[in-house]
Amino acid sequence: MLVDTHTHIHEGFDRDGTPEEVFAHAHENGVEKIITIGTSPEDSEKARQFAEEWAKKGEKIYWTWGYHPNMYEEKFRETLTNDLNMALKALESPQNVGIGEIGLDYHFDGFDRERQRELLLELLQIAQDQKKPVSFHIREAFDDFWPIFDNFHLPTSVLHSYSDSKKNLKIALEKDLYIGVNGLATFADIVHAPLERIVLETDAPYLTPAPFRGKMNKPGYVRNIAEWASEYYKVSIAEVEKITTKNAESIYKI
Ligand SMILES: [Zn+2]
């Protein structure tokens, strides 16, 4: 049994079938638990509704409340208090398993870095107070991220879609973070954590793994990432499933 620990399955199915089809494809590939990740207050609300609706229909689907660093709008300060209050309330959802994705992204110009750090501090305070694990999105910003991270005591959390340096990977592992591995591993030259410290994710509908590049990503493709891991770490797929599923279940309590 596999877990997709980071997907955006609630965002819509206009390009690759209905939710029923996407869940069926996941099950055919042994992907039994799915965490759908919010990227803004509005999007997190969609994630909550989607997860609660499909959990009632018997799916093992969970969600997180997130605010992606490239989703902050100019007016975010005006709505921040309200957004954080809504987040606190939404975290009571029976299907909520954490906070994310949140973090820092310095890759693109035009996103105020000070604002990103300010919001990250607010959200980490909530994660700490509510004892919720975090799915972090950190891109080209680790020098600023580490001092912020060190100020909080969080449950064991995850760096999603890690593609930074060897040095930052070592620091992350020393700080008890786990690494989210997705389709990037199948087509990009990136550094990897030990198998014992990874969880699998798709980040669907983005980052479709090889050999399905060009198609829309979906949770069932976690199977392809597990196959990549089996080759890379030179262990059986069963071993990859056992370790990564155990990691996901213990981090997110699912
Ligand atoms: Zn994502």
Side-chain angles (χ1 to χ4, degrees):
M1 192 257 280
L2 292 160
V3 184
D4 187 351
T5 60
H6 186 119
T7 185
H8 303 277
I9 196 179
H10 61 280
E11 278 182 8
F13 295 88
D14 47 326
R15 281 174 292 165
D16 210 14
T18 61
E20 284 84 354
E21 285 163 345
V22 170
F23 279 120
H25 177 259
H27 298 320
E28 279 161 29
N29 285 284
V31 181
E32 296 300 339
K33 296 182 181 176
I34 295 172
I35 303 175
T36 198
I37 302 281
T39 55
S40 72
E42 298 74 36
D43 184 66
S44 297
E45 183 55 23
K46 281 186 206 155
R48 181 185 71 75
Q49 286 173 8
F50 184 88
E52 289 181 358
E53 179 193 336
W54 285 92
K56 281 197 189 104
K57 295 178 187 168
E59 296 293 342
K60 295 188 176 93
I61 169 106
Y62 313 91
W63 72 281
T64 63
W65 196 95
Y67 209 154
H68 188 289
N70 290 348
M71 297 291 281
Y72 313 163
E73 290 170 28
E74 212 56 57
K75 59 172 175 47
F76 99 97
R77 279 193 189 88
E78 290 163 33
T79 55
L80 186 60
T81 309
N82 188 43
D83 289 339
L84 297 178
N85 285 336
M86 274 176 53
L88 275 174
K89 212 166 170 190
L91 293 179
E92 291 167 16
S93 159
Q95 298 311 111
N96 178 273
V97 295
I99 305 264
E101 52 192 294
I102 61 171
L104 302 173
D105 191 327
Y106 293 174
H107 182 71
F108 297 106
D109 291 335
F111 299 95
D112 187 319
R113 294 178 178 187
E114 190 53 48
R115 195 187 301 164
Q116 293 189 33
R117 292 189 288 266
E118 195 181 317
L119 188 49
L120 180 59
L121 289 172
E122 297 277 4
L123 295 168
L124 286 177
Q125 192 60 50
I126 292 181
Q128 176 176 287
D129 294 346
Q130 304 296 317
K131 299 184 173 57
K132 295 279 186 179
V134 175
S135 182
F136 282 108
H137 173 104
I138 310 294
R139 194 174 184 195
E140 296 168 26
F142 279 96
D143 289 349
D144 281 355
F145 174 65
W146 292 132
I148 293 173
F149 180 79
D150 287 343
N151 272 327
F152 292 89
H153 296 281
L154 302 173
T156 301
S157 293
V158 177
L159 285 182
H160 129 79
S161 196
Y162 186 84
S163 62
D164 208 89
S165 66
K166 225 173 182 159
K167 178 182 143 234
N168 280 321
L169 178 61
K170 187 166 172 275
I171 297 173
L173 295 172
E174 283 165 3
K175 292 183 190 294
D176 200 30
L177 283 158
Y178 279 62
I179 305 297
V181 176
N182 56 40
L184 268 184
T186 68
F187 61 85
D189 184 20
I190 51 177
V191 296
H192 293 293
L195 177 61
E196 287 65 33
R197 296 294 294 279
I198 68 170
V199 291
L200 304 183
E201 60 177 47
T202 56
D203 206 17
Y206 319 103
L207 297 176
T208 308
F212 300 107
R213 302 287 302 146
K215 289 179 102 181
M216 186 178 168
N217 201 358
K218 47 191 175 181
Y221 291 153
V222 164
R223 165 70 44 196
N224 299 81
I225 301 154
E227 282 166 4
W228 167 84
S230 159
E231 266 178 48
Y232 179 82
Y233 294 104
K234 299 186 173 54
V235 295
S236 65
I237 290 200
E239 188 70 3
V240 171
E241 290 192 22
K242 199 177 98 190
I243 292 171
T244 59
T245 296
K246 191 185 92 214
N247 289 348
E249 289 176 337
S250 81
I251 292 167
Y252 291 108
K253 320 250 178 323
I254 55 175

